[in-house]
Structures are given as structure tokens and as C-alpha cells.
Amino acid sequence: MKFTDLGLDQRILDGIDAMGYETATPVQQQVMVPILEGKDIIASAQTGTGKTAAFLLPLIHRLLTVPHDSNEINAMIIVPTRELAIQIAEGLEGLSYFTDVSSIAVYGGSGGDSFNAEKKALTQGVDIVICTPGRMIAHLNMGYVKLKGLKYLVLDEADRMLDMGFNDDIMKIISFLPKERQNLLFSATMPMKMRELARKILREPVEINIAISKPPEQIVQKAFIVYEPQKIPIIKDMLGGSKFQNVIVFCSKKQNVKQLTAELKRAKLSAEEIHSDLDQTKREQVLQDFRNKKLNILVATDILSRGIDIEDIDLVINFDVPNDGEDYVHRIGRTARAASKGTAFTLVSEKEQNKFAAIEALLGEPVLKGTVPEEFGPTPTYNPRAPRQGGQNRRSQGNRRNGPPRGDKKK
């Protein structure tokens, strides 16, 4: 379905055209019609399906075509992280470029000038506010946020917000809002606590479920069964050649991020780290350098696994096995965006074998096991029910041609 078939305001279509989009994704096709009709929705869709535009486009359309008070806050989008708030704000700026719809991103980690700019917008009125829960509550507690005219509430990455402990904050924010409003809830997963939240805030919602818990078929997945000390040397070898131009390496611990980044830099590779210890300015600069191709390897904690829209990722490497299948899908979903192809490698140590087997069970099939080059020494056998301890002389499963890409020095 083309965007021109959805009955959107021409000014929105002009913005879509300027951004180079033409055809709506499946989630956009299913979500936009009920939103345009004014219905509440609860939608589950894996990362990279285009859900941000799925709620922004009809939201902009309704603000352009339904009467509202320009001196009030008309729509609020609550998100779990400042990175996602910035991303949505940037997407909104492009989609609404030919309209007079106003917006502001409200999030912590910025200076006093930003807080004052937020206060001014929240006091004088703005069409759309994109906010993190804690920062919005800080403003609400001061009593000047103009919410009596709010007509639209969006919760994006709602499952992530609940995982981060924001349930009480969300309910506090909602207590300030008018009861008559349209509610849109987006989530990658639908655990019981998500259903409970939906029952509290949604009214006769349209439920939409699209392809969760399965990575896109165009992602080539491989797992390498290794000992923990082998991980850094293997990744240095993987990235030593020129096959992959844009790479994200995910680590579960900040210490692993820092150690791996230092080793990659010592190997003269263009790598930078991103994690919560960095201040907001530095994190934004690293992301911008990566988007602009000034940097080709990002080593990150799960701060990047959801909600950060970076195109053209050739390779995702899981330095550590993610905690569960959903996190695995989110991580590797950073590659193969917009129907392009991508590659995802996971390094699985002995202690992580049971965890990775659980991920394979969620995926419904085993992930192909690659063979580690012999120069890295013996590797464990993949035996997740009873992982072997100590040295092994047997090679991990797979065949030689499925091994990791080799650096130039090995050729």
C-alpha cells in the first residue's frame, strides 16, 4: 500500500516524498487506519518495522485536520530513553517539515538551558511533546505543564519502560491527563504486566500483532562456540578486513565494552564505545559520527538495541549472549533494516550455552554454528545441557567455510 492511498493531508505527503518514502510497511498499513479513525490501539511489532512513522503520520494528520488549541499540549509521546526521544523528534521534524505542527523533546541529561526551553514550551503550549518519564514528572511537579487540552497519548517501547521500572511514573503522568483522549500503546513483547497496563489505560483497543520474536529472514545468523578468553582475539580477526563497513558489537557489561574498544583501537580499527557512563553530549557525538561514516565500529551496551534508527548496518556481533530471546531479536534487528540483507554473529562461551539454547528454542530452530580458525586454539563442543569444563580438543560444530571473516593479515 502506498502512503497516497491512506488519505493523509497533502502537506504530510510532501514530507514523506521529501524523505524518499513511498510504500507503507505492514505495521504502518495495519496501524494507521484505526489511528486515523480515532481508535485506541495496542500494537506489538519487532524493531525495524517502521512503527514510529506508523503513529507519527496519523498523529500529524489529526493535528492538521481536527480542531485543537494551539496554546495547549495536544499530544504526548512517552519513551524509555533520551536516545529514542531524540530519534522520534528527528523523524517528526522530517515528516512534519511542510506543516506548522510544533514539537519538543523533553529528556534528562541535558543542561539548564534545555530545561528552561522545555519549561517555556510546556507552559505556552506545543502540539507534540516527546518525553522520558522522569523528566516529565520533574516538570509536572512544578505545576506549570498545560495538559487540559491533551487529546493523544502514545507509549512507545512500553515493555522496555516496564522493565526499567517506570510503571509508577507512567501512571503518575497519566493521572494529570484528561480522561477523554486517544491512547496508542506500542510494545515489542506482550507479557502479562503489559496486558495489565493496557487494561488500565486503553478503551476498546484495536489489537495488532506483527512478527514478534522472530528476526528478519534476510539476516544471516551464525554462532561461534568459544572460550571466554578467545572472544576479543576472534572479534579483532573478524573486523580486521574490509568486508564489513558498519558494525555494532553488543556487550552485556560496560566493562566488556571498554575493554573491547581499547583492544580494537590498539589494533588500529575505527571503533568507539557507547554506554551510560558517557555524558549525553559524547553519546550523541559518537552516534552522529557513526551515522556520518566517520566511524565504522560501535561497541555498545543494550542502550542501542532498541529504538535507535541507524541505517546500513552490515554486521551485528553479540560479544555476550543476550539475556533472552527478545533481547537477541532486538540486537540483531539493528542490521537488515528496510528489507536489506545483514549478518549477525554471536560468540557463545561455555557458561552461556544454556542461555543460547533457550534463545534457539524461542527462534524455533538452531542457529548455524560457525567454525573458529585453528590458530585460535581448541574450542568447546556445543552441549548446552551439560557444558564441558576445561580444555577440549574437539572443534565446535560447523564447517570451515562458515568460519568468521578473516582479517587482511590472515589472507
Side-chain angles (χ1 to χ4, degrees):
M1 178 184 291
K2 294 186 176 181
F3 287 109
T4 51
D5 300 326
L6 291 166
L8 296 172
D9 186 278
Q10 184 59 49
R11 289 166 287 181
I12 300 174
L13 294 176
D14 291 341
I16 294 172
D17 182 65
M19 296 178 74
Y21 299 129
E22 184 175 327
T23 304
T25 68
V27 69
Q28 291 166 353
Q29 293 177 34
Q30 296 188 47
V31 167
M32 289 175 66
V33 172
I35 296 178
L36 289 168
E37 293 173 347
K39 297 177 180 177
D40 283 12
I41 66 163
I42 177 171
S44 61
Q46 74 181 58
T47 186
T49 52
K51 61 182 172 57
T52 301
F55 64 76
L56 285 181
L57 290 170
L59 195 58
I60 298 167
H61 177 83
R62 288 182 66 78
L63 286 169
L64 292 173
T65 58
V66 178
H68 63 275
D69 189 345
S70 60
N71 295 318
E72 293 284 337
I73 297 168
N74 290 286
M76 181 181 293
I77 303 170
I78 307 177
V79 299
T81 66
R82 59 176 67 93
E83 286 80 12
L84 183 53
I86 293 168
Q87 176 198 316
I88 292 175
E90 290 174 349
L92 176 58
E93 182 178 359
L95 294 172
S96 63
Y97 184 81
F98 297 100
T99 77
D100 58 357
V101 171
S102 59
S103 63
I104 189 169
V106 174
Y107 53 86
S110 52
D113 289 344
S114 294
F115 192 92
N116 291 334
E118 294 168 4
K119 178 180 178 180
K120 182 177 179 181
L122 297 175
T123 303
Q124 297 181 353
V126 62
D127 288 324
I128 302 175
V129 173
I130 308 107
C131 63
T132 53
R135 185 71 157 205
M136 177 51 66
I137 287 177
H139 286 290
L140 287 170
N141 286 340
M142 296 184 182
Y144 49 69
V145 183
K146 301 180 71 173
L147 291 172
K148 67 178 182 180
L150 187 133
K151 300 182 185 303
Y152 312 101
L153 172 67
V154 181
L155 300 183
D156 192 20
E157 299 284 6
D159 56 340
R160 190 67 164 176
M161 286 195 279
L162 295 185
D163 289 342
M164 294 169 71
F166 285 137
N167 182 75
D168 290 346
D169 288 350
I170 292 170
M171 296 312 298
K172 181 173 182 177
I173 293 171
I174 289 174
S175 71
F176 285 85
L177 307 182
K179 295 190 181 302
E180 292 298 319
R181 61 180 189 270
Q182 184 178 9
N183 303 285
L184 314 176
L185 189 153
F186 289 83
S187 178
T189 61
M190 286 295 161
M192 184 57 66
K193 58 185 178 181
M194 179 59 56
R195 298 287 180 183
E196 293 173 357
L197 177 63
R199 281 194 292 270
K200 292 177 183 177
I201 67 174
L202 303 180
R203 299 173 300 174
E204 301 180 358
V206 175
E207 184 167 344
I208 300 164
N209 298 283
I210 299 178
I212 64 170
S213 301
K214 298 288 183 180
E217 292 182 0
Q218 62 266 33
I219 298 178
V220 176
Q221 303 174 63
K222 291 179 186 175
F224 299 93
I225 312 306
V226 301
Y227 294 111
E228 191 69 31
Q230 294 173 317
K231 287 186 175 182
I232 289 178
I234 289 171
I235 287 181
K236 288 167 66 176
D237 187 58
M238 287 178 174
L239 302 180
S242 58
K243 180 178 180 181
F244 298 106
Q245 299 300 316
N246 299 289
V247 180
I248 297 180
V249 185
F250 284 112
C251 302
S252 297
K253 299 177 180 178
K254 286 183 284 189
Q255 185 56 43
N256 288 346
V257 170
K258 296 173 183 178
Q259 182 181 0
L260 177 59
T261 304
E263 291 290 339
L264 294 177
K265 287 183 174 181
R266 273 194 282 270
K268 307 301 182 183
L269 296 172
S270 176
E272 285 292 347
E273 61 195 65
I274 186 165
H275 48 75
S276 59
D277 282 355
L278 301 180
D279 63 41
Q280 181 60 23
T281 301
K282 176 62 175 176
R283 284 155 66 177
E284 290 179 13
Q285 184 60 55
V286 170
L287 284 174
Q288 195 62 39
D289 287 346
F290 190 69
R291 290 190 178 102
N292 293 339
K293 315 298 184 186
K294 295 180 181 178
L295 169 71
N296 71 302
I297 302 169
L298 273 184
V299 185
T301 54
D302 281 319
I303 193 171
L304 278 187
S305 66
R306 295 178 183 235
I308 299 299
D309 190 14
I310 301 175
E311 301 291 342
D312 304 323
I313 304 301
D314 302 312
L315 172 66
V316 168
I317 299 176
N318 291 311
F319 181 89
D320 302 301
V321 174
N323 289 324
D324 56 44
E326 292 294 346
D327 286 340
Y328 177 82
V329 171
H330 281 293
R331 282 188 183 186
I332 73 171
R334 296 299 92 201
T335 188
R337 306 297 293 272
S340 63
K341 294 182 179 180
T343 302
F345 294 154
T346 302
L347 304 186
V348 185
S349 69
E350 286 189 296
K351 292 181 179 180
E352 296 172 311
Q353 288 192 13
N354 289 339
K355 190 188 296 187
F356 192 71
I359 291 172
E360 291 180 310
L362 184 144
L363 297 176
E365 58 185 2
V367 174
L368 178 67
K369 307 305 184 298
T371 301
V372 176
E374 294 180 359
E375 57 262 38
F376 293 103
T379 56
T381 300
Y382 188 52
N383 185 11
R385 292 190 178 183
R388 297 190 177 206
Q389 302 296 323
Q392 299 291 330
N393 293 321
R394 300 173 64 181
R395 307 298 299 165
S396 59
Q397 299 174 26
N399 55 59
R400 192 69 176 88
R401 67 177 179 272
N402 286 330
R406 311 296 304 283
D408 288 338
K409 60 185 175 63
K410 302 293 184 183
K411 292 182 179 178

